[in-house]
Amino acid sequence: DDASAEESIAVCAMLDSIRENALAACGGERHITLECAPGLRLRGPRLQIESIFSNLVFNAVKYTAAGGNIRIVFEASGGHALLRVTDDGIGIDPVHIPRLTERFYRVDRGRSRTTGGTGLGLAIVKHVLIRHQAELDIRSEPGVGSTFAVRIPARRVHRAPASPTR
């Protein structure tokens, strides 16, 4: 089926558009920076990858106050590719981190009514990542912020030819 068709993904363009959407969604009230290794591409189902990256960026927006900073970095790391989304938002108590990717798990039960969301975001992210042998690493400190890092296996990573043909 089309949704899972393997494609060569221009990640920088994808992240740039996710960044624009996130800025629009928060009315420009967060500073969102993007650093992307030019020519670094992924092989995989574009919609699924986009949904993962988008989920992580929009989560960062949701849990970062107006005026806060979100940094998106996509780079090569020892043959793998690494996407990191770092924010200086509310952070997460370490006790919750192992459970964040469970379906319907919420750090704060009272939040759902105010921020919306199904509680499925990170569960779906994890499910898709497992299918592609990618890993999600979550580091966070309450009151300091969080980093969500996705490590994508080397076999999914390739570089665009030096002279891109339009």
Side-chain angles (χ1 to χ4, degrees), residues 70-149:
I70 295 158
R71 189 165 161 246
I72 307 164
V73 179
F74 183 71
E75 62 190 357
S77 167
H80 299 84
L82 195 62
L83 171 81
R84 284 199 317 274
V85 180
T86 303
D87 65 60
D88 56 8
I90 58 174
I92 306 153
D93 189 308
V95 71
H96 295 294
I97 290 178
R99 299 196 59 195
L100 281 182
T101 53
E102 288 177 17
R103 294 173 59 170
F104 309 117
Y105 181 75
R106 286 188 186 283
V107 169
D108 172 357
R109 300 266 166 226
R111 281 196 80 93
S112 51
R113 281 180 295 290
T114 51
T115 55
T118 57
L120 282 173
L122 287 175
I124 291 169
V125 164
K126 186 171 190 185
H127 175 75
V128 176
L129 289 177
I130 288 168
R131 192 184 316 153
H132 300 300
Q133 291 83 49
E135 291 159 29
L136 176 64
D137 179 60
I138 305 171
R139 287 161 204 260
S140 188
E141 210 178 313
V144 178
S146 310
T147 297
F148 286 75

Side-chain angles (χ1 to χ4, degrees), residues 12-62:
C12 293
M14 175 186 282
L15 286 172
D16 201 51
S17 125
I18 290 171
R19 176 181 171 272
E20 291 296 319
N21 292 341
L23 279 170
C26 69
E29 288 183 346
R30 317 284 183 284
H31 306 286
I32 307 175
T33 58
L34 170 62
E35 293 162 46
C36 192
L40 190 63
R41 296 173 78 98
L42 292 179
R43 228 176 244 107
R46 192 175 54 79
L47 291 173
Q48 291 179 22
I49 305 277
E50 187 164 29
S51 137
I52 289 169
F53 289 3
S54 185
N55 224 300
L56 295 176
V57 172
F58 276 79
N59 269 357
V61 168
K62 189 178 356 181

